[in-house]
Amino acid sequence: MKTIKLLLIAFSIILFYICKETTSKPSPESLLKINKPNDSSIIGIWKHMSPHGPVKINFKENGVVETDLGDNNSVDVISNYVVQADTIKFIDKDGKSCPNHGIYKIYHRGYTVAFDVLDDLCNGRIKSTSGFWVRPNHMEQISQLNTIIEKTNDIEYVLHRGRMYLALSKTKLAKKDFDTYLKKDSLNAKVFIHRAATRFPNGLKGIVYDCNRAIALDSTDKNAYFLRGLAYYGLNEKQKGCDDFQKSIDLGFEILKQAEYDKCKEYWQNE
């Protein structure tokens, strides 16, 4: 259950504010031009729903980020951050902090931002940071996304919405959007991983299927092996699960050496 909770933190979704009906309706093309977010900055507030409840982070222009672990207007962790190209380094300063820094890859898609761990041995920070995040006005953004999808049927906007739903732990809605996307584009490995994340805890065989598809497209994604390892372990195929955890560790998911040690030590010691 602990590792399922760790996993459930990994991935999310979306965008804008509601479009009023007028006598002369704008074309789908003008809607896209007007409403597509163009701010690539992470400055400001982002939110997501973790297995432990809502979390809020506030990136300030002075290089400080405040983390509110309950989204209850408290500041539980104060960190410095440094952005270089597509990576971010967190250095905790105060609160429920970690002694060493953490480095994450940033995926900023306008409607969502996601952080994927590259180098961090702090389990608490990984849990509170990894996955998809949305802006505070996410419900208005989803409403407008609905309008754009209805007018354009553009699967890229369906994917944005699916990631937003995943950030909000609305897994059934997220899976529906990922299903729609994959029917039209089955070559995006990360979307198979997104869909796998929506299947926990009961769709373990489906997780194995999605991760197999993802690995066939990209054999270097540590998250695909991690999710498949969780699924195999849950299906009582413990050797396969621990083999996948080891593969994920080899690809950079170092924290699993600690997080999965008790479950896998008998299998890892036999290697």
Side-chain angles (χ1 to χ4, degrees):
M1 194 66 178
K2 169 186 165 187
T3 48
I4 287 178
K5 286 183 177 180
L6 173 61
L7 165 273
L8 283 175
I9 286 175
F11 322 97
S12 306
I13 337 287
I14 324 266
L15 118 142
F16 355 99
Y17 71 93
I18 197 138
C19 179
K20 305 279 186 180
E21 289 292 330
T22 60
T23 308
S24 60
K25 296 181 181 179
S27 68
E29 292 77 11
S30 65
L31 270 174
L32 298 179
K33 183 177 180 181
I34 292 170
N35 294 305
K36 186 174 181 180
N38 56 17
D39 181 7
S40 61
S41 171
I42 64 169
I43 299 298
I45 295 174
W46 298 87
K47 297 185 176 187
H48 79 177
M49 181 65 68
S50 81
H52 310 288
V55 182
K56 180 172 69 178
I57 49 178
N58 184 7
F59 289 96
K60 299 188 173 182
E61 293 184 2
N62 62 357
V64 171
V65 57
E66 297 176 343
T67 302
D68 177 353
L69 296 175
D71 191 12
N72 56 7
N73 296 318
S74 66
V75 178
D76 299 295
V77 184
I78 298 174
S79 311
N80 289 341
Y81 72 94
V82 179
V83 175
Q84 293 183 323
D86 62 350
T87 65
I88 184 168
K89 178 189 285 189
F90 294 98
I91 309 101
D92 291 350
K93 293 297 183 183
D94 197 11
K96 299 175 182 178
S97 57
C98 300
N100 299 313
H101 69 257
I103 300 175
Y104 294 74
K105 185 169 183 178
I106 305 172
Y107 295 92
H108 196 315
R109 300 179 176 94
Y111 313 132
T112 57
V113 66
F115 302 101
D116 183 17
V117 60
L118 295 177
D119 181 15
D120 199 350
L121 294 178
C122 177
N123 203 10
R125 184 166 50 212
I126 291 173
K127 287 182 178 181
S128 63
T129 302
S130 297
F132 287 110
W133 297 76
V134 292
R135 290 293 193 182
N137 65 332
H138 52 268
M139 294 311 298
E140 294 176 60
Q141 294 175 334
I142 289 174
S143 293
Q144 191 168 26
L145 253 193
N146 292 341
T147 300
I148 291 176
I149 292 168
E150 182 180 348
K151 291 178 179 293
T152 66
N153 206 25
D154 188 327
I155 61 168
E156 291 301 320
Y157 287 88
V158 173
L159 181 55
H160 285 304
R161 187 177 64 185
R163 289 175 177 141
M164 287 188 76
Y165 284 141
L166 193 51
L168 299 168
S169 286
K170 296 184 178 183
T171 54
K172 290 183 179 179
L173 292 173
K175 181 180 180 299
K176 184 177 179 181
D177 278 346
F178 298 146
D179 287 344
T180 298
Y181 182 92
L182 289 168
K183 285 177 183 177
K184 296 187 177 181
D185 180 359
S186 60
L187 298 178
N188 191 325
K190 288 197 177 296
V191 181
F192 281 108
I193 298 173
H194 298 345
R195 188 170 71 176
T198 70
R199 297 183 187 273
F200 280 90
N202 300 315
L204 300 182
K205 290 183 179 179
I207 294 165
V208 171
Y209 171 83
D210 280 340
C211 290
N212 285 344
R213 294 292 300 272
I215 291 166
L217 292 165
D218 180 3
S219 62
T220 67
D221 195 311
K222 63 184 181 296
N223 295 307
Y225 292 100
F226 173 50
L227 299 190
R228 192 175 70 175
L230 288 174
Y232 275 140
Y233 204 92
L235 290 167
N236 208 32
E237 296 188 60
K238 296 182 180 180
Q239 178 72 67
K240 286 185 176 181
C242 291
D243 287 348
D244 273 351
F245 293 149
Q246 183 61 60
K247 181 66 174 178
S248 187
I249 291 168
D250 293 342
L251 290 168
F253 213 155
E254 289 287 316
I255 191 66
L256 296 185
K257 288 180 181 178
Q258 300 173 23
E260 307 302 340
Y261 178 77
D262 288 340
K263 294 198 311 191
C264 293
K265 57 186 177 182
E266 64 179 294
Y267 303 102
W268 288 345
Q269 288 172 356
N270 291 333
E271 290 184 355

